[in-house]
Structures are given as C-alpha cells and as structure tokens.
Amino acid sequence: MGKEYSIETKCVQSGWEPKKGEPRVLPIIQSTTFKYETSDQMGKLFDLEEEGYFYTRLQNPTNDLVAKKIADLEGGVAAMLTSSGQAANYFAVFNICETGDHVICSSAVYGGTFNLLGITLKKMGIECTFVDPDASYEELCCAFRPNTKAVLAESISNPSLVVLDFDKFVKAAHEHGVPLIIDNTFATPINCRPFEFGADIVVHSTTKYMDGHAVCVGGAIVDSGNFDWEAHAEKFPGLTTPDESYHGLIYTKAFGKQAYITKAVVQLMRDLGSIPSPQNAFLLNLGLETLHLRMKQHCENAEKVARFLENHEKVAWVNYPGLKSSKYYDLAQKYMPNGTCGVIAFGLKGGRDVSVGFMDRLKLAAIVTHVADARTCALHPASHTHRQLSEEQLLEAGVQPDLIRLSVGIENADDIIDDLSQALELV
C-alpha cells in the first residue's frame, strides 16, 4: 500500500488495490482454471519459473489477496489461506516435519489441535511432547530432542485462556534452532502481534474473530520471513535441499524469505488440497474489514461480564486475562495491552453437573460448537470439544470438568449480563 498505515486502515484497505476501471470491492474469481496463449506459458508456471494462476487448488486471485491482507495485518512477508484452522495447523507443522521428527506443543491448546498433534501426526511418524505453558524455562528446554523441528503454542489458549509467555518460548525455540509457531486466533493481530515478540510463524482459524459472523470455515498461515532456515539447513531438508518434484529446485535458494509459504502452496496444497473457496475468502474479507471495531467491543463487553461473574455468589471461579485477579493479567498487559479477547472461562459452585444445567437455562446466549463471533454463545468443553480426552488429559490441557467457555458477543453488555443472571437464579 506504499505508506505504512495503521492496523485499522489495513483492515479496511489492505489486500485488494483496484486500478482504474476495476471493481472497488474485492472481486470473486469463481473459476477453477485460468487460460494461457501457449503451452510454454503454462509450462513455466508448473516449473515455478514464472508467477501466475492456472488451477485454484494451488492459488486463486481472490484467496491470495485476502491472504495478502492477513499477512499485512500480522506484519509477515507472505501468507496462504486454508480450508480450515485445523488444515492451517497441519500444514504449518507438516511443511517442516516428516516421519521420524518431533515437535513440542503447549498442553493448553484447542482440543482439536491436541488430537492432531498427539494422535494423528503420531500415526504419520511425527511425535509430539506436550509441555505446561507455565513450566519454567529449564523444564521447557528439557522437552527438546535432536530431532525437534518446531514449537507450537496459542497466544491465548482455547478454552483455558492461558496467556503465553512469549519471551520464554521464543528463547527456548531459537536456542534449539527451531521456529516458534503461534496460533493467534483468539487475540487476533488487533490485540497481539506475535512477530514483534520473536515468533516465526502465525496460524489462524479465520472461522473465529476474523470472519466474525459464523458463516465460513477457514484458516491462514503467515510467515514472518525472519527464521533462518539455511542456518539450520540440516534440520529442514525440505526447504534447503532439492525438491525432485520441481526438477531439483531448492526453496530457500529460489524464493528467499518466501520459501516457507511457497513450499506450503506448491507442494502441500498441490498434494493435499485444502484450499478455501473464493466465495469463502470473499466473506472472510468482509469480516476483516470490521475486525478492529468488533474486537474492541468484544473486549469491552467481556470485561463487564467477567466482573459480574467474579462477584456472583454462585460462581466458583473466573478466568479472564483482563481481570486483575487473573494469574495471566501481567502477561496480558505485557503482550496485549489493548485487550485480549471476548472469551471467558468460568465454573459454578457444585461442579460439572451444575455448570451443564446453567447452560441449558440460557436464552440469549446459544449453546453452539463455535466461539468468537458476533453473537454470544456458550460451550461446556468437557462435554463437547474436548470430550474425547480423558480426565487426566482434560486437566493437562487446562480444561477443568466444570469449565464453561463463554464467548461474549457484541450485543449490549447489559442484555448479556441479564441473561446470565436469570440462568444463575435457576441453578
């Protein structure tokens, strides 16, 4: 965009920059294929000798322009969209790992991520060690092995709302020559900028706040361009040695700071095909245009609701990083001084059954398998998103059996509180 605009302006203006006579609004290029004049022109695209579009499974103009906006918001050099947040997590790890490798992951992560890394990738020969995000630096370092290739954590964990100590995780990852991958879904680039704290790769479930309206599933991967793959060439042969499927091309030599995302697109997306539809990318872009406005309202509402819950006699505990009573308040102020997110974790006196009964009495807030959109909603992770985990695994993931995940929307805060109040009266 030329001038370095503020993030609010980037939400609205970045990505699509129309020229004379072109549509003012990002167009939907709803085509699977793209025409060329000669066979040689298309051949050069397949050999990665020239840039261009030939098949939407690899790249599509609408998708790429939205990815460009997200890269701009995060301060990265390149990004790619995926069909879901789970696909983004998978691609981000699998892009630099193969059979026999090892990754480290914070134990306080979304249940789907826990299963992906702990169970599914294990079947592919990639092992994962889960570590307590509150562990000491020395304990964290003990988890590394010679074959460790990446560390993954969430800036704000879903649903336990642990705020990551970036300094500790960045230092440990870089001390051992591997990148730190951050899932920044809950905080969004509006409230947290992982690259500014030393993280290397950011992933998102764009299904959440970025879309903001619960209309399209999607994901994104953003590369900072800062990790030196060549300096640790022996660890990352997929990036630093010839790729025989492209006539021996070496990604770091051919694409420099774009190497990581280029490989993810032309190799993983080529073979695994988790591309979002251009229609979904268009809808995602509409959500991004108001992200800065919605995040402010989500956070303001959540702080009011969290204070109400904290002072209610039937509430056993509340975890919201914006509360001074939170053990993560200082970390939130350090890394997210303008706000955290609109999600609150809390439990009721009486335990799991009482928490479930409370949810059934909500009227305004809906019980849905979703989080982080404009409408207030609630979920009991132990019964829903994390129900595949054992009691021990639940606690390891920071999910207490009575935990209610309340996603505070952008409605009037008083109406949300009134709904919670009437439900609590009936418990």
Side-chain angles (χ1 to χ4, degrees):
M1 293 175 61
K3 175 186 174 182
E4 184 66 21
Y5 288 104
S6 66
I7 197 164
E8 295 86 354
T9 301
K10 289 179 178 180
C11 281
V12 180
Q13 296 276 3
S14 188
W16 171 238
E17 299 176 26
K19 300 179 179 64
K20 178 181 177 181
E22 292 184 331
R24 181 66 189 89
V25 176
L26 172 72
I28 304 172
I29 309 300
Q30 194 66 50
S31 179
T32 61
T33 53
F34 300 84
K35 176 182 179 293
Y36 288 87
E37 300 298 330
T38 68
S39 177
D40 184 59
Q41 289 174 344
M42 185 165 285
K44 289 180 178 179
L45 296 176
F46 275 93
D47 285 341
L48 306 183
E49 294 177 3
E50 291 184 3
E51 294 184 3
Y53 298 96
F54 54 92
Y55 196 58
T56 283
R57 188 178 76 241
L58 275 84
Q59 289 179 287
N60 175 282
T62 304
N63 296 356
D64 283 0
L65 288 163
V66 180
K68 181 182 177 182
K69 173 179 281 191
I70 293 174
D72 199 17
L73 292 176
E74 285 286 7
V77 297
M80 66 179 286
L81 298 187
T82 61
S83 56
S84 69
Q86 280 292 83
N89 279 329
Y90 174 53
F91 277 30
V93 172
F94 198 60
N95 200 36
I96 50 177
C97 291
E98 55 189 51
T99 299
D101 286 342
H102 172 253
V103 296
I104 294 170
C105 183
S106 164
S107 59
V109 289
Y110 167 61
T113 304
F114 196 97
N115 288 334
L116 170 67
L117 297 180
I119 298 174
T120 301
L121 283 185
K122 187 176 182 180
K123 296 176 181 177
M124 299 178 181
I126 300 171
E127 289 193 57
C128 179
T129 298
F130 292 97
V131 297
D132 184 342
D134 294 333
S136 68
Y137 176 75
E138 291 72 22
E139 289 172 320
L140 178 57
C141 287
C142 286
F144 284 85
R145 304 175 186 174
N147 60 336
T148 301
K149 298 299 176 67
V151 179
L152 189 145
E154 296 176 352
S155 53
I156 305 175
S157 65
N158 175 13
S160 53
L161 301 179
V162 172
V163 176
L164 190 75
D165 186 341
F166 278 90
D167 288 350
K168 179 175 65 180
F169 273 76
V170 167
K171 182 181 178 183
H174 291 173
E175 183 74 20
H176 293 85
V178 302
L180 176 61
I181 303 171
I182 294 293
D183 186 327
N184 199 31
T185 295
F186 268 18
T188 81
I190 302 301
N191 287 339
C192 184
R193 311 272 291 168
F195 294 154
E196 294 179 5
F197 304 119
D200 303 290
I201 297 159
V202 162
V203 293
H204 283 277
S205 170
T206 61
T207 316
K208 312 304 190 298
Y209 286 123
M210 283 188 164
D211 163 62
H213 301 86
V215 294
C216 57
V217 174
I221 307 172
V222 188
D223 183 17
S224 68
N226 294 330
F227 191 82
D228 191 346
W229 306 105
E230 289 280 358
H232 309 282
E234 74 287 350
K235 282 183 174 288
F236 306 104
L239 286 162
T240 61
T241 62
D243 180 351
E244 296 309 319
S245 68
Y246 285 109
H247 308 298
L249 175 145
I250 299 174
Y251 292 100
T252 51
K253 301 293 186 188
F255 301 104
K257 287 183 177 293
Q258 305 273 339
Y260 176 86
I261 291 295
T262 300
K263 177 178 179 293
V265 171
V266 304
Q267 189 185 83
L268 298 191
M269 196 64 80
R270 175 197 66 189
D271 295 344
L272 301 174
S274 293
I275 199 76
S277 73
Q279 177 73 48
N280 275 10
F282 173 84
L283 293 172
L284 169 58
N285 189 60
L286 292 182
L288 290 170
E289 290 181 356
T290 60
L291 180 62
H292 59 296
L293 300 173
R294 290 184 287 103
M295 288 308 295
K296 181 179 179 181
Q297 189 66 38
H298 280 294
C299 291
E300 288 180 1
N301 281 357
E303 287 191 20
K304 292 178 182 177
V305 171
R307 286 196 295 270
F308 162 78
L309 291 170
E310 189 175 43
N311 293 314
H312 199 285
E313 62 181 4
K314 293 186 179 180
V315 176
W317 59 272
V318 178
N319 181 16
Y320 182 67
L323 291 177
K324 290 186 178 180
S325 59
S326 169
K327 65 182 290 188
Y328 301 107
Y329 179 79
D330 290 340
L331 284 175
Q333 292 301 301
K334 180 179 180 179
Y335 298 118
M336 309 164 196
N338 297 321
T340 54
C341 64
V343 183
I344 301 170
F346 68 100
L348 302 182
K349 295 176 182 177
R352 178 172 183 158
D353 292 342
V354 174
S355 292
V356 171
F358 159 80
M359 288 181 50
D360 291 344
R361 292 171 173 84
L362 293 169
K363 295 179 180 178
L364 176 68
I367 300 174
V368 297
T369 309
H370 199 246
V371 67
D373 69 51
R375 304 164 192 84
T376 296
C377 59
L379 187 81
H380 183 247
S383 301
H384 305 142
T385 54
H386 290 62
R387 70 180 297 120
Q388 295 88 355
L389 304 186
S390 66
E391 290 291 325
E392 182 180 338
Q393 288 175 320
L394 283 172
L395 295 175
E396 185 181 4
V399 179
Q400 294 170 245
D402 63 342
L403 186 153
I404 296 169
R405 185 185 71 184
L406 180 68
S407 180
V408 180
I410 58 174
E411 305 95 341
N412 183 284
D414 291 338
D415 291 335
I416 299 169
I417 291 171
D418 285 346
D419 187 38
L420 298 176
S421 181
Q422 65 82 26
L424 285 167
E425 288 177 10
L426 297 173
V427 170

